[in-house]
Structure formats: structure tokens, C-alpha cells
Amino acid sequence: MSTEPDLFKGFEAITIDVGSVTIFARTGGNGPPLLLLHGYPQTHACWHKLAPALARNHTVVVPDLRGYGRSSCPPSDATHRAYAKRTMANDMLQLMAKQGFARFAVMGHDRGARVAYRLTLDYPDAVSRLAIVDIISTLDQWRPEHQTTRDRIHHWAFMAQPAPLPETLIAANARDWIEARLKRGARGNVLTGFDPAALDDYVRSHADPDRIHAACEDYRAGATCDLADDRKDFDASNKIVVPTLVAWGSVGSLADIADPLAVWRPWCTNLFGARIESGHYIPEDNPDALLAYAESIFKP
């Protein structure tokens, strides 16, 4: 039985056909629209500590990205475009449009943050404000000077290997894989910051072979077409012009980068940032601190 009604009390569950996929989401609250995007190896449930508070002043939409949670898994091909961040960004644009929102704010964590900044670059008229949580751009992630950062998140290279190698190895013990990923990024390398119901949702989703493959395709896209899309925008000096918050954890994925804002500054014209006492999974590890910064940028 699903535990999520307890995680998102007062939120409605919806499933929306956006064209090539169906997207599952929770929605609740009143006010200006705000889209929250999860990362790997999670689902929309990662926002359960923040969404109710944000819903006091916003209409909050909390989806599962394609291939994750309860959203559908489209077929993949050699281009990996089915799981490109550009493709996922279009899903989110269509999802919000079908809720009646032509312009909205967006906050993303981890892979969801990559969808969020791609959405903002591709559809600048649709995004009013942006919050990026504990990442640098995909292009910057692959730069030689960030080798140390890549070494700390070695699953990037592993999951981008050709199918079916990573899929087979992950499927051999999906729960151990998911818990190991979460522990590695969590403050103190423990799972105590994760609600058991949310953790069960992550494991349940990623125990499905189709979703294991989808997640690997997400990372294969990150090493190919997402990288190419970023490089094209960077070379063309395309900028994110909306107010943009970059938040990172003190012991998160960017802990070895002296100044994450300096990495983002070439991408953004209206940027500010916050170092939060947290591991990588800030929405669950230190939601109160993230909420304070989010409310400052998303204030109606």
C-alpha cells in the first residue's frame, strides 16, 4: 500500500499525459505556481518536508520525472535523447501548461536541478525564478578541473556505461545500491535523515528493471547529449537571466569546490547563493535552512 498520502497530506495525486509519457505528480496549496524536481536515486517524495510549507504561499507541483517513481518509462535508443534533460524539461513545461500555468518558478535538486536549469535556458519566458540545489552544470561537471568532484560521485561514470552492464549489477541488489548511494551523500553517511516511507518509495521505484534502465539512460544522456546541449549554450553565451539561487551542502557534492557561485556565474546574470550545513540531500537533511532561502527567492 502506498505511504505517500501521509507524506503529502492535503495534496492531490494527478497523472497527466504530456505527449510521449505520462507524469505522476502531487499538487497542493494556493498562490503563484512552484515546480519542485527531484534527483537520483529518489522520487518526488524527497520534497515531503518542504512541499507543505511552500504550499502555504504557492501552488506547489511535485512530479516524478520520466522513468522515475510513478511516471512512465519511454523506450530508449542509441542517442539517449528519450532521457535528455531537454526532453524532461519539455515534459515539465507541458505538465505545468496542463495545470494552467504558462509561467512558474522552479527548484531542482541533483538530476532535477539539471532539468530545472535546462528548462530555464530552453524556455526563458516560462520560468520566473530558479533554485539549483547542490550541483554545477553538466558541462562544468565534466571539465578536467573538476576531476576530484567526479571521483567523489563515481556512479556518474558507472551508470553511463553501455547497457546492460550497470543495469545488471544494480538489479542484483537494488536496495543495497540505493541505500549505498544515499548513505554516500548523506551527512554522517547514515540514513537517519530519510523518512522510512520516502526511502521505501525510492527503493520500490528503482527495483523495477525498466526504471533501473531509465536511470542509467538519464546518466548516459548526461555524458552525451546533455553535455552537447550545455556546450552549445555556453559557447553561444546563452544566459539564465531570472533570479537564481544556488544552494550547496557543506559536505555535499560540491564540498571540494572553493566557490560554487564562481562556477555558475558565467551561466547566470542574477545570481546569489547559500552554503547550507548539510550533505548532498539538503531537502531531507536540512529542509528548514533550504526553506528559508527558497522563501526569500520565491516570495510572492
Side-chain angles (χ1 to χ4, degrees):
M1 184 176 68
S2 172
T3 57
E4 286 189 346
D6 293 329
L7 293 178
F8 290 87
K9 289 181 179 179
F11 278 60
E12 178 186 2
I14 59 173
T15 301
I16 302 295
D17 186 338
V18 298
S20 60
V21 293
T22 57
I23 298 296
F24 175 87
R26 299 275 178 185
T27 182
N30 291 285
L34 172 60
L35 177 67
L36 303 179
L37 301 179
H38 69 85
Y40 181 82
Q42 297 171 290
T43 67
H44 78 281
C46 80
W47 296 106
H48 71 96
K49 295 180 180 180
L50 276 170
L54 290 167
R56 291 194 293 261
N57 296 305
H58 298 85
T59 300
V60 178
V61 181
V62 198
D64 288 329
L65 298 172
R66 62 165 58 200
Y68 289 85
R70 290 159 177 76
S71 294
S72 60
C73 298
S76 61
D77 62 28
T79 71
H80 312 300
R81 276 285 172 192
Y83 291 91
K85 307 310 160 292
R86 172 162 283 160
T87 308
M88 294 181 176
N90 184 261
D91 291 344
M92 297 301 106
L93 184 75
Q94 300 304 320
L95 171 68
M96 296 302 280
K98 292 201 172 187
Q99 301 304 299
F101 304 127
R103 186 168 170 82
F104 49 89
V106 58
M107 176 160 60
H109 171 250
D110 191 82
R111 310 306 285 181
R114 302 186 187 284
V115 178
Y117 80 76
R118 174 50 52 195
L119 176 64
T120 310
L121 285 166
D122 286 357
Y123 307 102
D125 292 338
V127 177
S128 59
R129 294 172 184 269
L130 171 66
I132 296 168
V133 183
D134 213 52
I135 68 158
I136 54 177
S137 78
T138 299
L139 177 61
D140 289 305
Q141 190 74 66
W142 286 109
R143 292 189 192 278
E145 59 265 37
H146 293 130
Q147 180 66 47
T148 302
T149 302
R150 287 197 302 280
D151 289 346
R152 295 175 66 245
I153 50 175
H154 58 267
H155 66 284
W156 268 56
F158 168 67
M159 293 180 68
Q161 295 302 304
L165 175 62
E167 286 92 335
T168 301
L169 295 176
I170 292 169
N173 195 328
R175 176 175 281 275
D176 276 5
W177 169 259
I178 297 304
E179 290 187 354
R181 300 273 58 72
L182 295 171
K183 285 179 181 177
R184 186 174 178 85
R187 184 165 45 171
N189 302 122
V190 295
L191 295 177
T192 52
F194 299 97
D195 188 289
L199 182 58
D200 285 347
D201 197 62
Y202 308 151
V203 172
R204 182 168 54 248
S205 170
H206 293 90
D208 175 8
D210 288 342
R211 298 182 191 283
I212 294 173
H213 176 67
C216 290
E217 283 295 298
D218 180 352
Y219 280 86
R220 291 176 187 127
T224 55
C225 49
D226 292 342
L227 180 58
D229 291 341
D230 271 20
R231 182 174 288 114
K232 185 175 180 180
D233 275 319
F234 189 84
D235 290 347
S237 297
N238 291 337
K239 303 282 189 179
I240 295 169
V241 299
V242 299
T244 301
L245 165 70
V246 173
W248 64 95
S250 56
V251 289
S253 294
L254 310 187
D256 59 343
I257 296 176
D259 185 3
L261 289 181
V263 182
W264 276 108
R265 203 160 280 122
W267 293 93
C268 304
T269 64
N270 189 353
L271 179 69
F272 68 100
R275 179 182 181 272
I276 292 174
E277 292 300 319
S278 176
H280 174 58
Y281 299 101
I282 300 174
E284 288 159 295
D285 191 3
N286 196 342
D288 291 341
L290 183 56
L291 177 64
Y293 286 109
E295 287 182 329
S296 72
I297 191 172
F298 297 136
K299 185 176 180 180

